[in-house]
Amino acid sequence: MLNQKTMALMLAGAVAFAPLSLSAEELRQLHVTGEASMDVAPDQAVITLGVREQAEEAGAAMEQVSVRMNEVMTSLGNSGIAGEDMQTQHVSMHPVWSQVRRDGQDERSITGFEASNMLTVTLHDIDGIGGVLDDVLRAGANEFRGLSFSYSERDTAQDLLRTQAVENAFHKARQLAEASGMALGPVREIRDGGSAGGAPMMAMEMARSSDMPVSAGTVSLEHNVSVTFDIMEPSGPN
């Protein structure tokens, strides 16, 4: 009969060899990344604009900004922009420092205050963007942070791309397995890599012009998945 010490040693040996066997099985796997993409015409845009003013007193600077921003929002409303498509991004106030000379010496001093109010606007009429921008400039907007385009049916498009990405992963796996003389086994793991893409924000100089020209172009959408397959020796002829 084996004593307890001998049994403990045998058990430890079995545990030690188990990961080696498992690792050998894991080596017979194939990892691929499936990808899919499409270009779509954007159907909405987001612009960030605002008003920035300076005055000697903080209250005067903020009052000027408030008056001009109300005019800008009125202009947007007259252009058919709904209230829910306008959102204040931030309101700020800070001192203006200048170099002044006192008693024969230069020193930094507060010479006024600068106030700003930034607004984010969602536009659903791509063709009318140029006219809207021109109108808000005339209404008093003097700060423009950029313009970005997007696609309202993005979620539906990404569902389609996710399916196509999985199909692409299977195609790659079959091709790789066949080229290596192996047979493709079942799927062990699928990881959704998520979506990507979208039109970059376009910075534009603020200029008073007649219907500022804007080109929407296309929005590029992408999706990828990572899939792990078992691979095995191909079965022989029956």
Side-chain angles (χ1 to χ4, degrees):
M1 179 180 295
L2 297 176
N3 58 35
Q4 292 184 348
K5 183 176 181 180
T6 302
M7 292 180 63
L9 290 172
M10 293 177 64
L11 179 59
V15 172
F17 280 110
L20 295 178
S21 176
L22 181 60
S23 297
E25 289 297 323
E26 287 179 343
L27 290 176
R28 299 174 68 89
Q29 290 184 339
L30 177 63
H31 307 275
V32 297
T33 298
E35 301 167 316
S37 64
M38 69 168 64
D39 291 334
V40 297
D43 57 4
Q44 61 185 22
V46 176
I47 57 175
T48 303
L49 53 86
V51 176
R52 184 179 300 273
E53 294 292 341
Q54 290 187 12
E56 291 184 1
E57 300 295 332
M62 185 58 73
E63 182 179 2
Q64 291 176 26
V65 166
S66 298
V67 170
R68 295 186 67 175
M69 179 53 77
N70 282 332
E71 293 174 353
V72 168
M73 295 180 70
T74 298
S75 173
L76 289 168
N78 292 337
S79 297
I81 309 302
E84 57 266 26
D85 289 327
M86 293 183 274
Q87 183 178 43
T88 299
Q89 189 177 62
H90 75 265
V91 177
S92 67
M93 167 73 73
H94 63 81
V96 177
W97 292 85
S98 301
Q99 200 79 12
V100 297
R101 192 168 184 82
R102 287 196 178 99
D103 300 328
Q105 293 184 345
D106 291 333
E107 61 180 44
R108 281 170 54 80
S109 178
I110 296 176
T111 56
F113 293 86
E114 182 176 87
S116 67
N117 187 331
M118 299 302 300
L119 185 71
T120 298
V121 184
T122 300
L123 304 175
H124 301 285
D125 178 14
I126 297 292
D127 295 333
I129 293 177
V132 171
L133 291 175
D134 196 53
D135 289 341
V136 296
L137 289 174
R138 290 196 178 96
N142 58 7
E143 185 94 356
F144 188 60
R145 295 290 177 85
L147 163 66
S148 62
F149 294 101
S150 61
Y151 182 56
S152 61
E153 298 297 326
R154 186 186 182 100
D155 289 344
T156 300
Q158 289 295 349
D159 286 344
L160 174 61
L161 289 176
R162 186 179 293 108
T163 299
Q164 293 177 347
V166 172
E167 293 172 349
N168 180 249
F170 271 80
H171 173 75
K172 288 181 178 179
R174 293 190 189 98
Q175 187 179 47
L176 289 170
E178 181 180 349
S180 61
M182 302 293 285
L184 191 64
V187 173
R188 286 295 176 184
E189 183 181 62
I190 298 180
R191 292 187 180 183
D192 190 1
S195 60
M201 180 168 287
M202 302 190 308
M204 299 172 62
E205 293 294 328
M206 297 195 71
R208 298 184 181 277
S209 61
S210 176
D211 280 9
M212 185 183 297
V214 176
S215 177
T218 60
V219 174
S220 297
L221 304 179
E222 302 173 358
H223 206 98
N224 67 82
V225 297
S226 297
V227 186
T228 300
F229 297 85
D230 281 348
I231 54 174
M232 58 195 71
E233 296 287 347
S235 58
N238 294 328

